Each structure stands twice: as structure tokens, then as C-alpha cells.
């Protein structure tokens, strides 16, 4: 979307909270900590800072590129050799900030150098892409910059993951900001708000959808039969059409009911699911993301001076 003056203030505030939440999360993420605990703390932090959650905070590790949201009883623990992606979103009255970082550990990690190269590739790709952002730049030019930067590290961008426009209460909307040269001649416009998110990998450069989705969004209203599904649907309506995760529901409703209810809603086309995404050759994946307002001097809403 193109932001008006009032939206710009909200975008900056959302960005400030999202940027702070990323730094808070980076400090929490260490070998030995449980992923689900970190995510609960990050989501609490966002609320305490008067932000609303735009989508469930997620931690995707190693070959998992995105969309891993643990269930309440998930036992995943971070290891010293892991490549950890933290991705989170905040909104103020529906105006969204979306950002992500990659975290690795130096101690007890014989893979540090290899992982650090993959991490740096996505970070530099994002920096170089933001450096060329201005009204009139084409999507293809941004994709080319990301692709070339990552190729300089002898790595591949993930081609079927991309940045995106941000809309009011809409995490993904037109345009798609590619991570490779698509030759798309669509131009960015002044005050357009977008998320840029290069992914770099030592794998093939594509992801596939795995099983057991825990990330969903409301799609469209249709009649539902069971009381389970109706109870869950009324909870889901509170998320204002933004994505939600199973764990948020099981904090209130028994997990067995949630499972049955979500399944019925899915079969009836009422909700859409986003399964975890895995690199197709099980390569290690890094991701770096900022939200940017397009200007001659772009505003990086999620960038925090530390
Ligand atoms: Mn993101
Ligand atoms: Mn994004």
C-alpha cells in the first residue's frame, strides 16, 4: 500500500516495536533454550510495548526456511551449531512492520565459519537492495541485486520465497519483491511500504512445503457444523484476519478440540494453512528482513540504533 501521513507515523511506531522485539529475541536465543519459551516471551514483549502482533513470531532452524511455529508442548531446544531465523511482525491499527534476523553461535560450533558466510550473504543482500531503493526502481532490479550479492558468496537465493508489499491488516500483498532477477519492470512508488527479505542457502535455492502446519489465516466465512469448529472460529475472528498459530488457541481450548476444529475449518475452506517450508536439498538457510518505506532516502522502519 501507499502510506498517507497518518499511516507513516503508525508504520514508524510499529517498526520501532518490531525492531526492539528482534533485539530482545536475539538476546534470548542461546544454545539450550526452548524455542517455544522464547517465542512466548517475545510475544509478551510486543504486547508490553503496546504493539499488536501482526503474525505469530516464528523460529525456523537450519534447513527450515520459514513458518515454523511450535505447538505448546514442542520440545525443540536450540543447539550451538544451529542457524536460527527469528521472524516477527507488529502492527499499529493494521499498519505492519515485518522483520527477521539470523542468529548463529561462536562457542562450541565447528560450523561457525560456514554458517557465518551464509548469514552474511543474506545480510549484505538486504543492505545492497535497500541501498538502491527509490521511487521508480523496478522489482527486477532489486531481485538482480539480491541474486548477485548472494552469488558472490557462492550461495543461492531462495527463488520461491520473496519480499512483499504490506497492506492494512494484510501481511502479504502486491507487489512481490523477488530474490532473483525476474526482469519484472513494475516500479516501486513513493511512500509504498514493503518488506524485503533475502534468503541465502548452500542448498538448491528452493523450498517445499512440509507437513504438520501450525500457522493459519482466516480465508472466508462458510457454515460450519460442529460445536468444536464454531468455538474455534469465534476465537479466530479475534485475530482480525491476520495469521494465527495453533498454540494461541490451545492456551484457551483443549488441544484435541483445537485439532478437530482446525481440520474441519480447513476442509471447508474457511482457513488457509501455511506449512513449514524446508530447503529442497536440505541446505542451511539464512534470512534477513526489514520493512522499508520507499523514498529517495528510504525509511527503514524496523532499523534500531543500538
Ligand atoms: Mn517476516
Ligand atoms: Mn515478510
Amino acid at each position: 500500500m501507499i502510506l498517507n501521513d497518518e499511516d507513516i507515523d503508525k508504520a514508524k511506531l510499529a517498526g520501532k516495536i518490531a525492531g526492539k522485539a528482534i533485539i530482545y529475541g536475539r538476546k534470548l536465543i542461546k544454545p539450550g533454550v526452548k524455542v517455544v519459551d522464547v517465542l512466548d516471551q517475545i510475544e509478551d514483549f510486543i504486547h508490553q510495548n503496546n504493539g499488536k502482533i501482526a503474525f505469530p513470531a516464528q523460529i525456523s532452524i537450519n534447513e527450515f526456511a520459514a513458518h515454523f511455529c511450535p505447538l505448546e508442548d514442542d520440545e525443540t531446544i536450540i543447539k550451538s551449531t544451529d542457524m536460527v531465523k527469528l521472524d516477527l511482525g507488529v502492527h499499529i491499527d493494521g499498519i505492519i512492520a515485518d522483520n527477521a534476523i539470523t542468529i548463529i553461535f561462536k562457542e562450541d560450533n565447528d560450523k561457525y565459519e560456514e554458517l557465518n558466510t551464509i548469514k552474511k550473504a543474506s545480510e549484505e543482500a538486504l543492505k545492497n537492495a535497500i541501498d538502491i531503493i527509490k521511487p521508480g526502481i523496478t522489482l527486477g532490479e532489486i531481485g538482480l541485486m539480491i541474486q548477485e550479492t548472494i552469488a558472490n558468496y557462492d550461495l543461492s537465493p531462495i527463488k520461491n520465497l520473496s519480499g512483499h508489499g504490506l497492506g492494512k491488516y494484510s501481511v502479504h500483498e502486491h507487489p512481490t519483491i523477488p530474490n532473483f532477477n525476474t526482469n519484472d519492470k513494475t516500479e516501486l512508488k513513493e511512500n509504498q511500504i514493503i518488506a524485503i527479505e533475502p534468503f541465502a542457502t548452500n542448498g538448491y535455492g528452493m523450498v517445499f512445503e512440509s507437513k504438520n502446519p501450525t500457522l493459519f489465516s482466516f480465508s472466508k466465512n462458510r457454515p460450519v457444523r460442529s460445536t468444536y469448529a464454531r468455538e474455534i472460529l469465534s476465537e479466530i475472528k479475534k485475530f482480525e484476519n491476520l495469521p494465527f498459530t495453533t498454540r494461541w488457541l490451545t492456551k484457551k481450548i483443549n488441544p484435541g478440540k483445537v485439532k478437530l476444529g482446525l481440520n474441519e475449518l480447513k476442509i471447508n475452506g474457511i482457513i488457509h494453512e501455511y506449512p513449514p517450508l524446508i530447503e529442497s536439498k536440505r541446505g542451511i538457510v539464512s534470512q534477513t528482513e526489514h520493512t522499508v518505506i520507499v523514498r529517495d532516502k528510504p525509511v527503514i522502519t524496523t532499523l534500531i540504533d543500538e
Side-chain angles (χ1 to χ4, degrees), residues 65-67 158-163 177-179 197 199 207 277 285:
H67 296 172
I158 293 188
K159 292 187 179 180
N160 58 344
L161 288 175
S162 50
I177 314 290
N179 287 328
E197 50 183 313
F199 291 79
V207 289
L277 300 171
V285 180

Side-chain angles (χ1 to χ4, degrees), residues 222-230 264-265 268 270:
R222 280 185 179 172
V224 276
R225 219 177 301 163
S226 79
T227 49
Y228 297 162
R230 255 178 285 173
E264 186 176 335
L265 295 177
N268 287 290
I270 296 165

Side-chain angles (χ1 to χ4, degrees), residues 25-64:
R26 193 182 65 203
K27 289 174 182 160
L28 294 177
I29 292 171
K30 291 190 183 97
V33 303
K34 205 192 258 190
V35 167
V36 69
D37 292 343
V38 173
L39 292 172
D40 281 341
Q41 290 178 74
I42 290 170
E43 292 183 348
D44 287 345
F45 179 92
I46 293 169
H47 286 133
Q48 284 156 12
N49 282 273
N50 304 315
K52 282 195 164 182
I53 294 175
F55 55 84
Q58 39 209 274
I59 285 179
S60 304
I61 298 174
N62 298 335
E63 72 271 26
F64 283 81

Side-chain angles (χ1 to χ4, degrees), residues 122-175:
S122 72
E123 288 173 349
E124 196 181 316
L126 176 62
K127 186 189 175 297
N128 290 347
I130 291 172
D131 280 348
I132 60 167
I133 293 290
K134 60 180 180 187
I137 189 115
T138 69
L139 300 175
E141 287 171 291
I142 298 167
L144 176 64
M145 176 59 85
I146 290 171
Q147 182 173 27
E148 285 187 334
T149 305
I150 293 172
N152 273 335
Y153 286 86
D154 287 324
L155 297 166
S156 303
I158 293 188
K159 292 187 179 180
N160 58 344
L161 288 175
S162 50
H164 47 93
L166 292 161
K168 202 164 192 181
Y169 292 102
S170 167
V171 182
H172 288 106
E173 68 162 43
H174 181 81

Side-chain angles (χ1 to χ4, degrees), residues 125-286:
L126 176 62
K127 186 189 175 297
N128 290 347
I130 291 172
D131 280 348
I132 60 167
I133 293 290
K134 60 180 180 187
I137 189 115
T138 69
L139 300 175
E141 287 171 291
I142 298 167
L144 176 64
M145 176 59 85
I146 290 171
Q147 182 173 27
E148 285 187 334
T149 305
I150 293 172
N152 273 335
Y153 286 86
D154 287 324
L155 297 166
S156 303
I158 293 188
K159 292 187 179 180
N160 58 344
L161 288 175
S162 50
H164 47 93
L166 292 161
K168 202 164 192 181
Y169 292 102
S170 167
V171 182
H172 288 106
E173 68 162 43
H174 181 81
T176 292
I177 314 290
N179 287 328
F180 66 106
N181 182 17
T182 53
N183 279 311
D184 189 331
K185 302 281 189 260
T186 308
E187 296 180 1
L188 293 183
K189 298 184 184 82
E190 175 105 15
N191 288 333
Q192 193 167 20
I193 185 163
I194 57 170
I196 309 177
E197 50 183 313
F199 291 79
T201 182
N202 58 3
Y204 181 68
M206 295 283 276
V207 289
F208 67 90
E209 291 187 340
S210 71
K211 293 190 174 122
N212 304 321
T214 55
L215 185 63
F216 304 91
S217 67
F218 177 75
S219 175
K220 57 177 169 285
N221 251 324
R222 280 185 179 172
V224 276
R225 219 177 301 163
S226 79
T227 49
Y228 297 162
R230 255 178 285 173
E231 186 180 356
I232 286 164
L233 188 56
S234 75
E235 278 303 312
I236 289 170
K237 295 255 167 88
K238 296 176 188 166
F239 305 136
E240 302 175 288
N241 287 344
L242 289 164
F244 61 91
T245 185
T246 313
R247 193 174 87 253
W248 292 357
L249 298 168
T250 55
K251 281 178 181 168
K252 290 188 176 169
I253 304 167
N254 143 335
K257 272 190 178 182
V258 169
K259 196 175 177 189
L260 288 170
L262 285 175
N263 201 40
E264 186 176 335
L265 295 177
K266 188 181 79 184
I267 289 167
N268 287 290
I270 296 165
I271 58 171
H272 183 78
E273 62 181 27
Y274 304 92
L277 300 171
I278 298 181
E279 211 289 321
S280 56
K281 273 175 65 187
R282 304 239 165 209
I284 302 291
V285 180
S286 67

